[in-house]
Every structure is written in C-alpha cells, then in structure tokens.
Amino acid sequence: MKALVYHGPGKKSLDECPKPIVIDTTDAIVRVTKTTICGTDLHILKGDVATCQPGRILGHEGVGVIEQVGSAVTEFKPGDHVLISCISACGKCTFCRKQMYSHCTTGGWILGNTIDGTQAEFVRIPYADTSLYPIPDGADEEALVMLSDILPTGFECGVLNGKVQPGNTVAIVGSGPIGLAALLTAQFYSPADIIMIDLDDNRLAVAKRFGATHTVNSKDGKAYEEVMRLTSGRGVDTAIEAVGIPATFELCEKIIGAGGTIANIGVHGTKVDLHLENLWDRNLTITTRLVDTISTPMLLKVVESKKLNATLLITHHFKLTEILKAYNTFGHAADTNALKVIIEM
C-alpha cells in the first residue's frame, strides 16, 4: 500500500509499505477513504515529538470502511463505515475509567505517533470497539473527518477546560484550524464576545465569518493593548492558546483577567516562561490537556443535525498521490489560505 512516512526531522516521503494485519484480537483493519493533515504532524516533522520515530506512517484522523476485525471485536464487522478517533482507548484501565482516554495505559495518542497512522490506504486500529464510531447513513464523510481530532480538541481542551460560560469574554490566540474549531464550539455556550488573535488577515476574516465578534492582528506587537481596549482594561475571562509557541502562551498570560482561565491547546516543543511575578495574586486557573474524545458522540449528533457545519473548516482537496503537495499547501497556510485539507484515497 502507499503511505506517507516520516524519516526524521524535515524528511517525509510517499512510500510503498506492507499492508497492516490484525495483531491483537481487539484490532480492526480499516481501508481509509479520507484523511487529513494536522498541525501536530507539522510539529512531528519539526522534531518536536520525540515519541514519533523515523519510519512511522503519519496521521491520526480519517474515515474508512472496515476490512477485517479481530475475534474479540463485537461492535463492528467488515463493510461498516467508521470514523477513526485520534485517540485509541482500551476502555478498561484506570485512566479510561476516569474518561481520560488520552492517558490510556496501552493506547492514547498512538496513531501516527508510536504506531502507524492513517495517511495510508489501510490502517490498523487497536481497541476497535472503543476507538471507532459508526458513520450514520447519508452522513457527510468530509465533515466527519473534522471529528477525528480538531473539533473534539478545540471543544475539550479549549472550551470545556477554559470554562466558557454565557456572557463571558473569550480570546482565542491562533486562528488556525484548532483555534477555529474552538471558536465554533465556544458558541454552544453563548459567550458575549469572542476575540480572535492571529498574524494572518485571511484567517481573521474567516474567523469573523465563523462568529468572532472581534479580530486582532498581532503582527504589530500591540495585541495586548487592543484586547485591553476591547475589555475596558479588565482582560478576558478565558484565554485559549491554540498555536504552541512561547509568544502566544505569554500573550495569554498578559490578557487574562482576574479569576480567569488560560486553556492551553497548543503542542509546545520549547520552554515557555510562566510569569508568576505578575500572576500570583490573580486567582487564575491554567489548564493543559490532550484531547480525550469524550465529546465525539455529542459532536457527531450536532454535526449530523447540521447545527454545526464542520465542512467550513475544509479548504483544499488532494489525492493520496498528491500528499506531498498537500503538506506543502498546509504548511504554507499564510500563502495558500489553507485550513484543513482532505486527502482522498
């Protein structure tokens, strides 16, 4: 089969690889029909994710059709259309029983990280019964690809961890796909204001169409002053960090108001300074999280009912044979205006 293989920092190629086989009785082999590229894949290619070693097939998102199941799989059978969760969960360990599926002792974020992932014609899914979701008849598969990772990530790590409430003021630092997913799902809770902050005017224009009440271009280094102006000097109730670099987290530290919550989503590959000299007396909460996908069933219903249009996040389409071009497009989003790309087999 063809697959996108990571060969070390800055190196990747579309290779011929062995088709996966059932290893454990709880496995399923899925023929991937659509997948995508995540910002986390770019972090891997930068060398920020030490657990992902050269030779790994990348990707942790997608939809497909089950080809084969292990003898212990009871919820699925060959021919079933399924959504692949970015998190694999055994459902039985201590962390899974706490609904912390991202910390499953034998699963978690392993697809495209410590085991081969979804940017391939076929993928092995461990713990199929608790790591796949049936796709309803007539559902838009492209929309559902957004449910593998970015929508539950934006919602759980940003909105839920950020304690977004009706009437609040929310700032989302980073208007890429994850930040926009947080923007879309924050509106479930009717905040009074959502301020989107980014360097890219195109992405800010998209954010405005998606429901942002205010946009701030931080290129001039005056984002803090503008947020303070918009909030009459109080700062925001929730600051969601959706980039993963020191400058954006430190901006969250500056704009958060007393009693507020900083919710980190970004994947950080270098150290960030925590300015406790400015924050120690401000009654703040700082949260970190890897998505647990506990919200996926709910989000499936919301997308299926068309209360949330997940296809808004999709800007480009490619075939698997064009995946290197897709990476180039996604990695140069400032020039290509890319958000999420769909890769079809």
Side-chain angles (χ1 to χ4, degrees):
M1 69 171 184
K2 288 183 169 59
L4 191 283
V5 181
Y6 168 64
H7 294 291
K11 300 175 183 177
K12 62 186 181 301
S13 59
L14 183 63
D15 297 346
E16 286 289 338
C17 299
K19 182 179 172 180
I21 60 172
V22 169
I23 296 174
D24 297 313
T25 59
T26 53
D27 290 348
I29 305 300
V30 177
R31 175 173 58 83
V32 180
T33 56
K34 292 181 174 68
T35 185
T36 186
I37 301 169
C38 181
T40 306
D41 297 321
L42 300 185
H43 279 284
I44 289 172
L45 286 165
K46 288 197 302 183
D48 288 347
V49 183
T51 51
C52 186
Q53 294 296 302
R56 180 67 58 225
I57 296 171
L58 295 186
H60 50 267
E61 302 163 88
V63 296
V65 179
I66 291 183
E67 285 268 310
Q68 183 184 0
V69 296
S71 60
V73 176
T74 60
E75 298 297 314
F76 299 99
K77 63 185 185 304
D80 286 349
H81 283 69
V82 291
L83 165 68
I84 300 166
S85 175
C86 64
I87 298 296
S88 302
C90 75
K92 297 177 181 179
C93 71
T94 299
F95 290 113
C96 282
R97 287 177 179 268
K98 294 179 181 178
Q99 291 193 310
M100 293 174 63
Y101 302 129
S102 61
H103 292 273
C104 174
T105 55
T106 52
W109 174 42
I110 54 177
L111 282 177
N113 178 13
T114 59
I115 68 170
D116 288 334
T118 58
Q119 290 169 13
E121 293 178 293
F122 296 89
V123 62
R124 180 179 72 91
I125 303 297
Y127 306 121
D129 280 342
T130 44
S131 304
L132 296 172
Y133 297 88
I135 292 179
D137 291 340
D140 185 335
E141 285 195 350
E142 292 191 1
L144 296 190
V145 174
M146 303 300 104
L147 290 176
S148 285
D149 185 352
I150 65 165
L151 279 171
T153 295
F155 182 56
E156 294 175 20
C157 304
V159 177
L160 294 184
N161 266 18
K163 303 174 186 174
V164 175
Q165 297 178 20
N168 276 7
T169 297
V170 178
I172 302 173
V173 182
S175 193
I178 287 288
L180 292 172
L183 165 63
L184 288 171
T185 54
Q187 293 171 69
F188 293 165
Y189 295 94
S190 300
D193 294 293
I194 305 177
I195 305 166
M196 296 296 292
I197 303 169
D198 201 279
L199 298 166
D200 187 321
D201 283 331
N202 174 70
R203 288 189 165 187
L204 291 173
V206 171
K208 196 75 171 177
R209 294 200 302 271
F210 284 14
T213 56
H214 306 280
T215 59
V216 176
N217 190 311
S218 55
K219 191 178 295 184
D220 61 3
K222 296 182 179 179
Y224 164 73
E225 288 82 359
E226 180 62 12
V227 172
M228 288 299 109
R229 185 188 71 79
L230 290 170
T231 59
S232 301
R234 292 188 300 272
V236 300
D237 299 298
T238 299
I240 297 173
E241 198 288 329
V243 182
I245 61 174
T248 50
F249 189 87
E250 290 183 28
L251 178 58
C252 289
E253 294 181 58
K254 291 180 180 179
I255 64 175
I256 194 67
T261 300
I262 298 173
N264 183 80
I265 306 178
V267 178
H268 290 271
T270 58
K271 80 174 187 70
V272 179
D273 291 330
L274 178 62
H275 291 284
L276 279 177
E277 73 277 12
N278 300 323
L279 304 176
W280 68 272
D281 64 345
R282 298 188 58 76
N283 290 49
L284 301 179
T285 301
I286 298 175
T287 67
T288 65
R289 186 172 184 174
L290 184 60
V291 63
D292 292 302
T293 66
I294 58 171
S295 63
T296 302
M298 179 275 288
L299 291 169
L300 266 167
K301 291 180 180 179
V302 173
V303 170
E304 188 181 0
S305 69
K306 303 190 185 308
K307 300 291 185 184
L308 176 65
N309 184 2
T311 60
L312 291 171
L313 295 161
I314 300 167
T315 56
H316 293 72
H317 292 77
F318 299 91
K319 296 291 187 182
L320 180 62
T321 53
E322 303 173 298
I323 194 167
L324 295 178
K325 181 180 177 182
Y327 262 94
N328 186 61
T329 299
F330 185 70
H332 293 86
D335 300 318
T336 62
N337 295 336
L339 293 173
K340 289 297 279 187
V341 302
I342 291 289
I343 299 165
E344 301 179 56
M345 299 303 134

